[in-house]
């Protein structure tokens, strides 16, 4: 019992988690910006096409 009490007191300290260190986001490359612009343009064109198709109905 004498050895068990110090062990039980120290175990929670050993099991404590480390503090959270949030990751730093990477900067966006020019290639990623280009493809995002292409995708955004395609999305707008698709929305315009759907609007044109629904409007003619």
């Amino acid at each position: 019992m004498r050895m068990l009490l110090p062990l039980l007191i120290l175990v929670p300290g050993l099991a404590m988690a480390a503090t959270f260190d949030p990751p730093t986001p990477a900067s966006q490359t020019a290639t990623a910006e280009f493809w995002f612009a292409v995708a955004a343009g395609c999305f707008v064109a698709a929305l315009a096409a759907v609007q044109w198709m629904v409007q003619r109905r």
Side-chain angles (χ1 to χ4, degrees):
M1 187 68 180
R2 266 191 236 192
M3 296 299 286
L4 186 60
L5 187 59
L7 181 66
L8 291 176
I9 291 172
L10 293 176
V11 167
L14 297 173
M16 289 180 60
T19 59
F20 177 69
D21 187 21
T24 55
S27 60
Q28 193 168 349
T29 62
T31 306
E33 288 183 10
F34 169 75
W35 284 113
F36 183 81
V38 169
C42 290
F43 183 68
V44 169
L47 286 175
V50 168
Q51 175 62 31
W52 179 71
M53 289 172 66
V54 170
Q55 187 179 16
R56 291 178 45 105
R57 204 167 202 200

